[in-house]
Each structure stands twice: as C-alpha cells, then as structure tokens.
Amino acid sequence: MRTLNVALGSRSYPIHIGQDLFADPSLIQPFLKTRRVAIVTNDVVGPLYLKRLEEALDAADVSTSVAVLPDGEAHKDWQTLNLIFDKLLAERCERSTTLIALGGGVVGDMAGFAAATYQRGMPFIQIPTTLLSQVDSSVGGKTAINHPLGKNMIGAFYQPKLVLADIRTLDTLPDRELRAGLAEVIKYGLIRDPAFFEWLEGNLEKLLERDADALAFAVERSCANKAEVVAADETEQGERALLNLGHTFGHAIETGMGYGNWLHGEAVAAGTMMAAELSRLLGWLSSADIARIEALFGRAGLPVVGAKMPVEQYLDLMAHDKKVEAGKLRLVLLRQIGRAVIHGNSAAPMIASAITARCA
Ligand code: NAD
Ligand code: GLY
C-alpha cells in the first residue's frame, strides 16, 4: 500500500492506494468518531462490493446503515440526494455517524454533498471504485449534484477524512468506464506534469490491459498531482481551476446531450481537444502538439471530436460555467504540453472556431 497526504492543516487526510484495502477494518476504524457508519452505494456497485465492506465493519463491531441509489449520472439530482437523507433520518443517524461513499464519482459527489449538509456536516470517507474517481473525484472535497441547466451546479467544498483507492475494484469496471477515467489521468500530464504525459505515451496499453503496477502508478501520480493543487488552492481561487482543462466544453456536451449519454471522461477528452485547438489558434500549441494529444486520447479509445450540437448551444451552455466571472468566460488552455493557464480574453469568434473545428 502507498499513502499520500492531502495537506490541509487540521483537515489533512491520507489517500491509501493498494489492493484489497477495504477488507481491512484497521484502515477505516481510526477515522470513525463512533462505531456507527452509513454507507452510500448504488445498485451496480452494491452487489459487487457492499458485502465485503459490511463484513469488515461488522468484524470491527461497527454497525451500518445502507442507502442504495439508482445507478448513473442521470440520477445525480435532488430526488436521489433525498434518498440519502431519507435513509439517514429513518435510521436515526447522528452527526457523529460517519458516511462512507462506496462507488464511482456519481456516488462520491452525492454522498459528499449529503455529508456536508446532513445535520450541518458529518464525517465522510471515500472508497472510490472507478478509475476516474480514484484519480480525481474522491480527492479534493468537491461535492455536487447536477441541475437540468448545468453540471455540478449545486454543491459544497467538503473534505473527506480518508480516501481508500483499492485498485482491485477496477477489475470489474467496464472497458468504456476505464477509458473514461484515462481522460482525467491524461489531464494531469497535460496541465502540469509533462514527464507523466511521456510515461503515458509509453505505457497506455498497460493501463488498458489493467496491469496492476501500471494502474497503481497512474493512480498514485494522478493523486499526487491533485493533492498538490488542492493543498495550494482548496476552494479554487486560482490554480485549482487548471484541473478543469476541457471541462467547460465537456460540461456543455454532457448537459446538451442529456446526462449519462456521454460519459464525463469522454466529454472531457473531446472538450480538451477543443481547448487544445483554441490554444493552437492563439499560437501556443503547434499542429504537432495537437497531433500528439489526439494520438494519446485516440489510443485510449476516447472521442477527439465533440457532440454534434450547434455552436450557439455550446456557447450558451458554456456561459453557465462556474469559472464565469462578471459574465466573462474564463477557459483553461495550454501554453504547452505540461503547462496550463487560465485565459479570460479569448474572442468569441475564436472560441466558436475551435468548437467548430472539433465538432462532429
Ligand atoms: P460513475 O460514478 O457513474 O461510475 C461509472 C459506472 O461504473 C457506473 O455505472 C457505476 O455504477 C459503475 N461502477 C463503479 N464502480 C464499478 C466497479 N468497480 N465495477 C463495475 N462497475 C462499477 O462515473 P465516474 O466516471 O466514476 O464519475 C463521474 C462523475 O464524477 C461525474 O458526475 C463527474 O461530474 C464527477 N467528477 C467529480 C469530480 C470532483 O472533483 N468531485 C472530479 C471529476 C469528476
Ligand atoms: N475535478 C476538478 C477539481 O477537483 O477541482
């Protein structure tokens, strides 16, 4: 097992990365306030991993309540969030009960928001079970649900006490979901870690074959990057926004196409190609850089062009982005491979050209 630390003063927490982690109650127990937990999972992950977690907690004499949510991005909404509160209240969970999210980013984001708000905040542990959630969403304390007009529009910053990334859970992950997770892995190389980008160019097939050592390295390197950024800028006053490379375009695709039709990672890959194209139009990236990025996403089986949608609709949806300031769109762009910047001065026609160049 490898352990990283998210350094946030008194709210610092460890990320354990390894195999068969949540069968070991001694990793979880020190983080519980009382011998009571509520587990939030969904109807896909629950049948695979809930029993193992419950048995481990039971062996440590910890009692559990369980909320099983319907699966999918389409359920990342108020109604489904309320199912968590229904369970917590019906089973008289207390402010000291620890909430454990067992699942991918959808479960993690919703459980985290529930933990942030139930009785004004209860302790929270992330057990991410997708590549995307192990490399990104379980770390850093962003929690949210979607609104029909925009992705992740309602939420809170709320840090977990512990993240347990058990890479054995990736054995059961569908190929399409593994590939979607790779989009966020590639993102770290692009925004701040050129050596990692090169490593990915040399080792992508190992990740697709689910080589355990390669996966553990990619999860650790991604989390190390994310932990550094979050420690420097927890509430996204500056640098943290760089983690949103491709997301402004990508969120427009996810919202415009209907939540769940494009996977988040797929939309991020296509959105990153739009951001890269805009960076090329600004004279920052060369055509060779674009080809290199496109080749890596292509090898990962990710889309390199966005959904067919009128450019006006892209721009309208992008106007809801959380990085909009005083009505002005701020985009994460690439000065070079391995160095992202926030840019608030792209002319609308240039943004439209980048979208059109990378639109199906
Ligand atoms: P997801 O949670 O929908 O999981 C993908 C699918 O895999 C689901 O059907 C899920 O039930 C299934 N699944 C999960 N673990 C499995 C396993 N081990 N074996 C088999 N099936 C499994 O999607 P995701 O890609 O994990 O997360 C996407 C979400 O994360 C989006 O809502 C996105 O907005 C959010 N996100 C949040 C942050 C953040 O910082 N909070 C960062 C990135 C993404
Ligand atoms: N996934 C972007 C962030 O955590 O800031």
Side-chain angles (χ1 to χ4, degrees), residues 268-284:
V268 165
T272 298
M273 290 312 304
M274 291 175 177
E277 176 61 18
L278 185 49
S279 308
R280 191 187 69 79
L281 292 173
L282 287 162
W284 297 343

Side-chain angles (χ1 to χ4, degrees), residues 83-126:
L83 297 179
I84 305 177
F85 297 131
D86 290 347
K87 176 61 73 173
L88 295 175
L89 286 162
E91 304 222 347
R92 295 182 196 277
C93 290
E94 298 168 355
R95 186 185 277 172
S96 59
T97 301
T98 297
L99 193 146
I100 300 182
L102 175 68
V106 170
V107 164
D109 279 13
M110 279 201 290
F113 189 34
T117 49
Y118 183 71
Q119 296 195 9
R120 301 197 182 91
M122 67 200 296
F124 168 49
I125 289 174
Q126 287 269 20

Side-chain angles (χ1 to χ4, degrees), residues 42 44-45 48-49 71-73 76 103-109 129-133 136-144 146 151-152 169-174 177 180-181 184 187 226 240 247 251 254 263-265:
N42 71 22
V44 170
V45 179
L48 293 170
Y49 299 110
D71 178 45
E73 185 75 37
K76 194 176 161 184
V106 170
V107 164
D109 279 13
T129 62
T130 61
L131 181 61
L132 186 140
S133 55
D136 193 347
S137 62
S138 64
V139 175
K142 277 191 182 175
T143 75
N146 298 329
K151 263 282 286 181
N152 294 336
T169 59
L170 304 181
D171 291 348
T172 54
L173 195 64
E177 299 291 349
E184 301 279 21
K187 171 187 82 178
K226 179 137 189 192
R240 183 165 180 169
H247 285 58
H251 285 165
E254 288 186 85
L263 299 184
H264 177 69

Side-chain angles (χ1 to χ4, degrees), residues 159-181:
Q159 301 293 342
K161 301 282 179 208
L162 164 72
V163 179
L164 277 188
D166 186 333
I167 59 164
R168 283 290 286 275
T169 59
L170 304 181
D171 291 348
T172 54
L173 195 64
D175 274 339
R176 187 178 168 202
E177 299 291 349
L178 185 82
R179 291 170 188 275

